[in-house]
Amino acid sequence: IEVTSGLDTHYDEWADGQPEQQLQGFDVVSSLITDLAQSNYKGTTDTWLDHTTIIGFSEFSRTALINDRGGRDHSLTNACFLAGAGIQGGQVIGRSSDVGLMPTPRNLVTGADDNSEYGTIVRPEHIIQALFHDIGVTDDPADLRVGPLLPLLKNA
């Protein structure tokens, strides 16, 4: 679902419209999570949130820095959030570099910084593989050719 729109701002309208647009989106997600957490799942003691995984993302991200026109430009470093069934909440996995704000390599098993030859820049397919892994699909039916980002999961 699309929870808000009007986020593609590059100029001084960033300060005028972005906070309200983002708050609208976050409020929708918060209401969805609250409703799922308060609704019994098919007559059991579980909730619908116990059986639903929510993923929030954008097709692109914004720089952390304000540009010379008072707005923000597109960036290669992005973020997403996951909540609900199977997700190990209350954590942030990953960060941008201090210089250039580029994504930094992660260890797919621990989620820690990993600048070794085994470190991986996390991409959407790592998250998809983690969700497949969580439901027991481990033979890579989508042929994504990457490993799962396991720290996302409660039972990894």
Side-chain angles (χ1 to χ4, degrees):
I1 60 173
E2 181 179 308
V3 297
T4 192
S5 61
L7 299 175
D8 193 9
T9 56
H10 293 268
Y11 306 108
D12 57 0
E13 76 269 21
W14 175 267
D16 297 334
Q18 280 290 327
E20 293 80 17
Q21 292 299 99
Q22 289 185 24
L23 181 59
Q24 174 187 334
F26 293 134
D27 285 348
V28 168
V29 172
S30 176
S31 294
L32 175 62
I33 290 172
T34 298
D35 186 59
L36 291 169
Q38 293 175 351
S39 300
N40 284 357
Y41 178 76
K42 298 182 179 182
T44 69
T45 58
D46 288 351
T47 69
W48 273 96
L49 189 60
D50 296 324
H51 295 271
T52 305
T53 303
I54 299 169
I55 306 169
F57 67 94
S58 175
E59 76 276 17
F60 63 86
S61 188
R62 294 289 174 182
T63 63
L65 305 174
I66 301 293
N67 64 28
D68 61 355
R69 298 174 308 260
R72 296 179 191 262
D73 296 316
H74 295 224
S75 176
L76 296 176
T77 303
N78 204 341
C80 72
F81 70 85
L82 290 96
I87 302 302
Q88 180 63 46
Q91 62 179 336
V92 174
I93 301 172
R95 66 177 184 86
S96 59
S97 63
D98 294 335
V99 177
L101 303 175
M102 298 303 294
T104 59
R106 306 278 104 203
N107 179 300
L108 294 178
V109 175
T110 67
D113 283 347
D114 189 346
N115 290 317
S116 75
E117 64 182 287
Y118 303 107
T120 302
I121 299 297
V122 174
R123 301 189 187 287
E125 50 266 34
H126 295 101
I127 295 165
I128 292 168
Q129 285 291 43
L131 296 173
F132 280 153
H133 183 87
D134 188 50
I135 62 171
V137 178
T138 58
D139 59 350
D140 199 4
D143 196 22
L144 298 172
R145 300 178 190 203
V146 299
L149 182 60
L150 294 176
L152 291 175
L153 306 175
K154 283 182 186 173
N155 299 317

